[in-house]
Amino acid sequence: GKFVEAHTGTIFLDELGEDFEKSVGVDFNVQEMANARGLPMKVAPGVLAAHRCYASLWKLCAANFYYLKILSVARARANGWSFPTRLVWACGVVTLVPALRLLRLAKSISRRPALLSTFLASMPVMLLVYYTAAFGEAAGYLFGLGDAEEKFLKWELNTPRIA
């Protein structure tokens, strides 16, 4: 059968059915679907990953805003959420998610005390990025996709980055 190899290992598309087509634009949604079906998440041994960063905070925030807007629209569509459900999620994401992300990061930093000062110094930037992303997600739940895909592609594919 048809299959996709991604962050989730091998997922058979026939098994995911229509849900895959509704969510394929955002890899995180595919991971959520695989997890909900009990499909294992795997990391290929020997994979070397490199990350290239945006050269400015503005570009990082814009890309995060539009990515999360796309993710939220795909998530709401895949789950068949009504407007009241999307409203609850929008409120929750803005009020809870940035703090939860920061707490999770702080927990991981607690195991590496040498990074504490860097973590604390980076907190204003992290909060700005986390809240921008949260507002992008909320905007997707409340207002739909709009031109988010085109704008995200500009940032994702056509914006120079640094190593």
Side-chain angles (χ1 to χ4, degrees):
K2 297 180 257 177
F3 66 92
V4 124
E5 290 194 71
H7 305 286
T8 55
T10 302
I11 301 171
F12 289 92
L13 301 184
D14 294 336
E15 183 179 337
L16 295 177
E18 287 183 23
D19 289 343
F20 182 81
E21 291 179 21
K22 292 178 187 174
S23 301
V24 74
V26 181
D27 57 347
F28 181 77
N29 287 339
V30 175
Q31 294 169 22
E32 282 185 328
M33 290 168 23
N35 190 39
R37 288 171 170 76
L39 297 171
M41 303 270 238
K42 300 176 184 177
V43 176
V47 168
L48 178 63
H51 185 73
R52 297 181 57 85
C53 302
Y54 292 100
S56 77
L57 184 56
W58 159 249
K59 292 173 183 176
L60 175 64
C61 286
N64 273 270
F65 180 91
Y66 291 115
Y67 175 78
L68 269 293
K69 189 172 184 184
I70 294 166
L71 179 142
S72 63
V73 169
R75 177 184 284 157
R77 186 179 302 135
N79 290 304
W81 290 347
S82 65
F83 182 76
T85 301
R86 295 191 327 265
L87 179 61
V88 168
W89 273 76
C91 292
V93 81
V94 170
T95 57
L96 299 173
V97 170
L100 289 173
R101 289 180 73 182
L102 199 61
L103 286 172
R104 287 181 185 144
L105 186 55
K107 184 179 176 184
S108 72
I109 294 295
S110 71
R111 294 185 295 266
R112 300 171 67 189
L115 296 176
L116 182 60
S117 63
T118 303
F119 170 75
L120 293 174
S122 302
M123 199 173 300
V125 171
M126 290 185 294
L127 285 171
L128 180 62
V129 172
Y130 291 169
Y131 274 101
T132 302
F135 279 106
E137 186 171 350
Y141 291 135
L142 297 175
F143 308 116
L145 196 56
D147 60 355
E149 290 175 318
E150 293 82 18
K151 289 187 175 183
F152 177 68
L153 287 177
K154 170 191 165 195
W155 297 110
E156 185 69 6
L157 301 178
N158 301 316
T159 302
R161 300 192 199 186
I162 55 175

